[in-house]
Amino acid sequence: MMAIQRVGIIGAGKVGIVLAGLALDAGYTVRISGSGSVKKIALTIKTLVPGAIASENADVVANSDIILLAIPLSRYKNIDADLLKGKLVIDAMNYWWETDGIREEVLDPSTTSSEQVQTYFKDAKIVKAFNHMGYHNLQEEARPKGDPKRKALFVTGNDPEAVATVAAFVDHMGFDTVVHNNLADGIMTEPGSPLFGASLRYAELKDIIDHFDQTEFGKEVAAQTHK
């Protein structure tokens, strides 16, 4: 596994800000970019997460060991695919109709959102994480390893080494992990699934994931993703 010291976050909305705060608390150097000017974002960052460095996408990527995508899903193609070449990238995005618009205009219905993100950023290693727990819970529920009240997050991707690195990072950020090595399994945590919005401990989260394939939603997903 690679050692993570510098964290880059693309997206200065609620999720991006919360993740920046968690990363700072965990001892990482944090750079963050947003859709506005760096000057405008810097004021927000200074107020909400003092210690993080506001910058542009290119600088964030160039000076980070891991990148978190925390932007509206409909905007990921606004980022040059080559920018993330060779990078380890956490997809913390979800489709949300209020910000993304009509689903069919954003996503191919025959495959999952993270698989489409991986196809677009074909030279990056995409791992899905931080997307099923609400940002308030992420902010409030981070706890040291071994704390009986510690919550868990689902982590999945196609590259086992990348997944292991992200799982260790998530653990350091304050959460246990349930790990899979299939990016398509990320569908289990997206809006409409039993896990979306879930703030659960490890055993509870693992139990729901283990039984997911038996639910009607799981059967529909399996039918779609294995066509």
Side-chain angles (χ1 to χ4, degrees):
M1 293 189 298
M2 66 180 290
I4 304 297
Q5 296 179 320
R6 305 170 302 163
V7 175
I9 300 171
I10 297 179
K14 292 172 182 176
V15 174
I17 294 295
V18 167
L19 292 174
L22 291 175
L24 286 170
D25 290 344
Y28 296 105
T29 299
V30 179
R31 282 177 167 78
I32 186 168
S33 60
S35 57
S37 68
V38 173
K39 185 176 180 181
K40 181 179 179 181
I41 295 165
L43 182 61
T44 302
I45 298 307
K46 185 178 180 180
T47 303
L48 298 178
V49 277
I53 303 164
S55 193
E56 297 178 344
N57 287 355
D59 179 67
V60 168
V61 173
N63 291 287
S64 299
D65 303 313
I66 193 168
I67 306 297
L68 289 91
L69 291 178
I71 57 178
L73 184 63
S74 57
R75 299 179 193 167
Y76 76 87
K77 288 186 178 178
N78 292 350
I79 302 169
D80 185 344
D82 289 336
L83 184 64
L84 299 182
K85 185 175 183 179
K87 286 291 183 176
L88 175 55
V89 179
I90 295 177
D91 173 12
M93 301 181 291
N94 278 315
Y95 165 76
W96 197 247
W97 69 269
E98 290 181 337
T99 53
D100 293 320
I102 300 170
R103 185 181 181 92
E104 287 74 15
E105 294 177 359
V106 178
L107 294 170
D108 176 351
S110 67
T111 183
T112 67
S113 66
S114 288
E115 288 176 289
Q116 291 173 58
V117 172
Q118 177 66 85
T119 298
Y120 180 73
F121 296 111
K122 60 183 179 63
D123 295 316
K125 293 179 180 178
I126 303 293
V127 177
K128 195 169 190 74
F130 294 114
N131 74 302
H132 67 79
M133 190 183 289
Y135 67 90
H136 282 303
N137 292 116
L138 284 171
Q139 187 173 40
E140 297 165 4
E141 301 285 6
R143 285 180 166 79
K145 193 174 184 67
D147 188 310
K149 294 183 179 180
R150 201 181 205 220
K151 299 298 178 64
L153 292 172
F154 186 52
V155 178
T156 191
N158 291 334
D159 184 296
E161 184 176 355
V163 171
T165 298
V166 171
F169 172 71
V170 172
D171 179 79
H172 199 203
M173 292 273 272
F175 300 91
D176 290 335
T177 60
V178 176
V179 174
H180 279 201
N181 287 298
N182 181 9
L183 191 58
D185 287 350
I187 190 70
M188 292 193 286
T189 63
E190 293 179 6
S193 77
L195 286 180
F196 183 69
S199 178
L200 302 170
R201 296 171 191 169
Y202 173 83
E204 299 166 322
L205 184 66
K206 189 173 189 307
D207 185 60
I208 290 177
I209 289 171
D210 287 347
H211 289 86
F212 177 85
D213 289 339
Q214 304 306 313
T215 67
E216 288 305 313
F217 185 80
K219 290 174 184 176
E220 290 177 14
V221 169
Q224 289 180 354
T225 57
H226 294 95
K227 284 181 179 178

